[in-house]
Amino acid sequence: MGKKTAWAATIVGGSLVALVAAALVVRPWEVPEPVATPTPTPEPPPAAVLTGADAGAPAPTADGVRDAIDELVEAAAFGGAISASVVDVGTGEQLYSYEGATPTIPASTTKLLTGAAVLAAHGPAHQLATVAVAGAEPGEVVLVGGGDPTLAIDADGFFPGAARLDQLAEQVTEALGDTQVSQVTVDSSLFTGPVHGPWDDDIPGSGFVGPITALMTDGGRIDPDPAQGQRSSLRWEEPDLAAGVAFAELLGVSADQVTIGSAPPAVAGDGDSGGQSDQGESTTDPTGTPAPPDPAAPGAVLGQVMSPPLLRLVETMLVTSDNALAEGLARQVALHQGEPASFAGAAAATTAVLAELGLPMAAAEIADGSGLSRDNQLPAELLTDLLAQAADPAAGEPLAGLFAGLPVAGWSGTLAGRYRAGEPDPTGVEAELRPAGPGAGAVRAKTGSLTGVNALAGLVMTADGRLLAFALLTEEVPVAPGPARQALDEVTTALLECGCR
């Protein structure tokens, strides 16, 4: 398998074969004849999904794609407003465009841009640090947020592999030795600007997202439960303060001794905490060896925990469509570009980074990193250009990392309940109860959904083995989402089933 298809995986499963044995009635005085155990007949393996593209597959044509999907794109379920684009990944050729250059509300397909920008800016291995430093007052510990929304309190966190406050507290206790912690200060000043984006009024209290701050645990969730997915609970009104209270409890400090403030400048020579200070500098012993800084000196680093690599954070953001994580990652792009770590700064930085990649950003308007804002306006052609570039081996890493997080139709993430056979449920709630349809396991895409908005952008293989990038953005959908989602699935399934030649 070449670089172009390195993202692809073959998912193979099996089933147990039942063995049928004759029923025997055995009397105590009788010895039963031995019964031969029948040799099980092996079942054929299930069809492979997400197989690699065939570099020698016949190229689809624009006429073939048009014949396959033109009528489906004009489905009544879309409400008459759709921006659609299909690109041959192998050649970069635009095969289909239906108002594809028209800016349209993209909903959560915006997260594809956020993921691409943060991977391009920082690289897939970059990690986010949460640091504890000594405060200006004796016994004061400052918890400094580094913008990691996945930070957990303990092993029961919402996000897999997250950095943990209990482990940070252990480091602090060890560093301070006999010094008793009496106060915890929370420094979340890394992020600036409003904590809520340019969203509909019902978004902040919906459970889908909360205030965006540089310090939070579990994406700001009050009672995180991974089993319930994205909308697992309400969010803290002050997620940075709530994280500080949790940290204080781990250190044996009462909640009333937790305040919002700022960390002192870092101890000189300590590159992890940034900045320098004349206070607490290292001294030199008679042998000329620098002595370590006094852990009680203001600004001295007492502990640090690191997030999973950005590649894993982007994967989690895409597969679950996590909004708080998306906004946190967008601010990391802003910090890299020297912009304020705010909604506006992140939008400007994301636009700049993607333009540097050669993507056509002139018609795009970005208002947030999650896609919750209706002020976002993206042409479908921008999304297919991004996906095609990410799949191009000449472009190389890091954009190929986007594909690890794209949900698989009928299989994972926000597409687990999609691509089902039978009549669609108008609400979409009972979708997973229907059997898998023909596109299940063969389409990989990012979903997008707001009231009246449904979107889908990703990759699909034609019947001949040719890889296509597609984007379908609709913004005048009737309130019930089921039919529109079914119609989106039908468009991409038609691409899957055709040679499109």
Side-chain angles (χ1 to χ4, degrees):
M1 187 178 296
K3 285 187 177 179
K4 182 175 294 185
T5 59
W7 59 271
T10 301
I11 302 173
V12 179
S15 61
L16 296 176
V17 178
L19 300 179
V20 180
L24 299 176
V25 179
V26 182
R27 297 179 177 86
W29 59 87
E30 293 180 344
V31 178
E33 292 291 328
V35 178
T37 302
T39 302
T41 302
E43 292 185 356
V49 298
L50 300 181
T51 52
D54 180 358
T61 67
D63 287 343
V65 173
R66 187 180 306 110
D67 290 344
I69 69 171
D70 219 18
E71 290 186 8
L72 296 173
V73 165
E74 297 179 358
F78 296 142
I82 182 169
S83 177
S85 174
V86 179
V87 167
D88 183 345
V89 170
T91 63
E93 180 186 356
Q94 181 88 44
L95 296 176
Y96 184 84
S97 181
Y98 185 100
E99 300 293 337
T102 302
T104 306
I105 299 173
S108 281
T109 58
T110 303
K111 293 182 176 75
L112 289 169
L113 275 64
T114 300
V118 75
L119 289 172
H122 288 284
H126 183 75
Q127 295 173 276
L128 309 180
T130 302
V131 182
V133 303
E137 301 296 328
E140 178 188 9
V141 173
V142 183
L143 180 61
V144 184
D148 176 12
T150 69
L151 180 68
I153 297 173
D154 52 31
D156 295 326
F158 186 84
F159 297 96
R164 292 162 46 179
L165 286 179
D166 60 344
Q167 295 176 342
L168 183 60
E170 290 176 1
Q171 296 177 35
V172 170
T173 300
E174 181 178 356
L176 290 178
D178 295 334
T179 302
Q180 180 64 41
V181 181
S182 58
Q183 179 182 346
V184 170
T185 300
V186 172
D187 185 344
S188 59
S189 60
L190 185 65
F191 290 177
T192 60
V195 296
H196 295 296
W199 304 326
D200 290 350
D201 292 342
D202 61 344
I203 292 292
S206 66
F208 286 107
V209 73
I212 305 302
T213 58
L215 179 66
M216 63 175 71
T217 57
D218 303 307
R221 293 169 174 85
I222 295 173
D223 184 20
D225 181 2
Q228 295 186 33
Q230 168 67 263
R231 188 178 181 176
S232 63
S233 75
L234 297 180
R235 314 291 172 119
W236 294 107
E237 291 185 4
E238 296 180 278
D240 47 358
L241 187 61
V245 169
F247 187 57
E249 182 178 351
L250 293 166
L251 292 171
V253 177
S254 63
D256 59 4
Q257 296 301 310
V258 180
T259 59
I260 300 291
S262 299
V267 173
D270 193 327
D272 288 331
S273 53
Q276 292 188 352
S277 171
D278 293 333
Q279 300 177 339
E281 290 188 3
S282 300
T283 58
T284 303
D285 68 17
T287 67
T289 302
D294 178 2
V301 175
L302 304 175
Q304 175 177 272
V305 290
M306 306 297 291
S307 75
L310 280 183
L311 180 63
R312 296 292 168 242
L313 298 185
V314 170
E315 178 181 348
T316 299
M317 172 191 68
L318 294 175
V319 75
T320 64
S321 202
D322 193 278
N323 298 307
L325 181 49
E327 298 299 350
L329 293 179
R331 278 157 179 72
Q332 298 300 325
V333 183
L335 293 168
H336 181 273
Q337 295 295 105
E339 295 281 357
S342 63
F343 285 98
T350 297
T351 301
V353 168
L354 296 179
E356 290 170 5
L357 294 176
L359 292 168
M361 301 301 295
E365 294 184 19
I366 300 176
D368 67 7
S370 62
L372 287 173
S373 176
R374 294 177 185 273
D375 293 338
N376 292 309
Q377 294 283 313
L378 303 180
E381 290 178 3
L382 169 61
L383 292 172
T384 51
D385 284 350
L386 170 59
L387 290 164
Q389 183 175 137
D392 183 355
E397 291 286 358
L399 294 191
L402 286 177
F403 298 125
L406 289 180
V408 180
W411 192 279
S412 64
T414 55
L415 282 182
R418 301 276 291 270
Y419 291 82
R420 302 286 171 166
E423 291 298 318
D425 168 35
T427 65
V429 173
E430 302 296 329
E432 293 189 46
L433 301 181
R434 291 159 37 216
V443 176
R444 195 159 201 172
K446 180 70 197 77
T447 58
S449 182
L450 294 168
T451 301
V453 176
N454 269 280
L456 195 64
L459 301 168
V460 63
M461 200 84 64
T462 70
D464 290 332
R466 197 78 175 193
L467 187 63
L468 304 180
F470 66 87
L472 307 165
L473 310 178
T474 68
E475 62 181 13
E476 294 182 6
V477 173
V479 175
R485 291 173 181 168
Q486 179 89 351
L488 291 172
D489 297 351
E490 289 173 355
V491 173
T492 50
T493 299
L495 292 172
L496 166 73
E497 294 177 335
C498 81
C500 299
R501 287 182 278 137

